[in-house]
Amino acid sequence: METNYSRRSLLRLAAMTPLSTAVLMNAFQSRALAMTGEAEKSLAPDTGTGPHSLAPLPYAFSALEPFIDAQTMEIHHDRHHAAYVKNLNDITGKTPELKGKSAEELIRNLAEVPEGARMTVRNNAGGHVNHTMFWQIMAPKAGGVPSGPIADAIKRDFDSFEKFQTSFNEAGTKRFGSGWAWLALGKDGKLSVLSTPNQDNPMMAEYGSLYPLLGNDVWEHAYYLKYQNKRADYLKAWWNTVNWNEVNKRLEMAQKA
Ligand code: MN
C-alpha cells in the first residue's frame, strides 16, 4: 500500500514538473528494493572500479531536515554524486594521463588533460570535488551567524554578513540553469562571491584559480522535491545548514596554500 502510494505521488510529481523521470524512478526503485529486503546490496552507490571513491555522507540523510529533505539527500549523494565518481573512474580507466591524479589536481590543470577526455573530466571531477565539499560544509544543528576568522574576513570584504548573504543569494538565483554559487578566496587574500555553470569550480584556471570556501548547489536535483521552482526559498533556507566551523577550516587551509 505504502509503495503504491509513493509511486502514485512520484508519478504525479513527474507529470507536474520537468524533473527527469529517471531520477524519480530511482527513488521509487530504492523504496521498492528496501521493502523486498534487497536494500543493503542493491542500494550501494555504484562508483565503478576506482581509483576515485565516494565518502559516506557524514550524517544521516534526514539530518538536515526540515531545510533539506532526506529523500533529496539520498538521491543527491547516492545517485548524483556517485555517478560523477563512476564517470570519473570510467574515463580514468581509458586515459592513462589521468592516473595518479586527484580530482582537485585534474580540475586545477584542465589544460593538461587530453582534449578527448577534457569535458568529461571537467564535468565529473568537478562534480566530485564540488559535492565532496558540499557535504562537509553543511551539518545538522548548524547555520546562524559565523564566528572566528571567516566572520572577520566577511565583514572586511563585504561590510556585513547580511550584505554577503544577499550577494551570495543573488549569485544563486541569477545563475541560469544548473550551477553553483560560491564564496572563494583569491591569491590576493580577498574574498569574492561568484557563480559557475554546470559542475565548474572556482579552482579552475579560467575563474582565476580561486580557493572555494563555501558553495551552494543550485542544480534542480538539490532542491526540486521540496522547493519545486522556488530556488530563492531553497537558497534562503540553506543558510540554516552551513557548517561555519568547516568553512573556518577551509579558510585556514586556503591561507596556508
Ligand atoms: Mn548536486
Side-chain angles (χ1 to χ4, degrees):
M1 294 297 277
E2 178 63 27
T3 303
N4 287 340
Y5 177 75
S6 299
R7 184 157 192 260
R8 268 207 311 277
S9 311
L10 290 168
L11 293 176
R12 199 181 315 128
L13 185 60
M16 286 183 332
T17 75
L19 193 63
S20 90
T21 307
V23 169
L24 294 169
M25 287 315 289
N26 258 337
F28 166 63
Q29 281 159 359
S30 296
R31 278 190 190 196
L33 289 167
M35 295 192 69
T36 58
E38 292 284 316
E40 288 307 314
K41 190 173 50 167
S42 306
L43 289 178
D46 178 12
T47 56
T49 51
H52 300 278
S53 60
L54 176 67
L57 196 68
Y59 34 77
F61 293 124
S62 61
L64 305 181
E65 298 258 13
F67 312 111
I68 305 179
D69 60 285
Q71 191 178 30
T72 294
M73 291 297 288
E74 180 174 1
I75 297 170
H76 201 171
H77 179 274
D78 283 12
R79 305 293 157 196
H80 291 277
H81 188 174
Y84 299 124
V85 177
K86 183 177 193 312
N87 293 338
L88 178 58
N89 282 329
D90 288 349
I91 194 78
T92 303
K94 290 184 219 154
T95 317
E97 293 90 334
L98 306 180
K99 295 210 168 80
K101 292 188 174 161
S102 71
E104 275 198 26
E105 282 177 277
L106 291 170
I107 64 168
R108 280 182 200 282
N109 303 293
L110 279 173
E112 290 171 18
V113 172
E115 210 176 334
R118 198 173 295 153
M119 189 52 82
T120 303
V121 168
R122 181 180 194 127
N123 290 335
N124 294 285
H128 185 26
V129 170
N130 293 351
H131 288 84
T132 299
M133 176 217 62
F134 190 54
W135 313 130
Q136 291 169 350
I137 54 93
M138 299 190 293
K141 300 191 176 84
V145 175
S147 58
I150 190 65
D152 299 338
I154 286 172
K155 191 160 194 306
R156 182 193 66 206
D157 294 339
F158 299 96
D159 291 334
S160 70
F161 179 60
E162 291 68 30
K163 281 186 188 167
F164 155 67
Q165 273 187 312
T166 302
S167 166
F168 189 99
N169 286 350
E170 268 176 23
T173 48
K174 286 180 183 164
R175 164 56 47 199
F176 185 76
S178 299
W180 290 73
W182 302 98
L183 170 68
L185 185 75
K187 291 190 170 126
D188 58 1
K190 288 243 167 72
L191 298 178
S192 59
V193 162
L194 70 155
S195 90
T196 58
N198 307 314
Q199 294 297 349
D200 282 6
N201 183 293
M203 289 179 195
M204 292 173 182
E206 67 195 72
Y207 301 104
S209 305
L210 309 174
Y211 192 91
L213 302 176
L214 177 69
N216 193 1
D217 187 343
V218 300
W219 284 59
E220 286 186 345
H221 68 224
Y223 64 86
Y224 215 91
L225 290 178
K226 184 176 171 76
Y227 295 93
Q228 292 85 49
N229 59 316
K230 300 185 281 281
R231 187 191 283 183
D233 290 358
Y234 158 71
L235 279 155
K236 197 172 156 202
W238 177 79
W239 292 104
N240 293 294
T241 71
V242 174
N243 177 2
W244 291 109
N245 288 338
E246 184 64 25
V247 180
N248 267 313
K249 279 188 208 158
R250 293 182 67 86
L251 176 61
E252 198 184 334
M253 267 193 304
Q255 285 167 337
K256 278 185 192 159

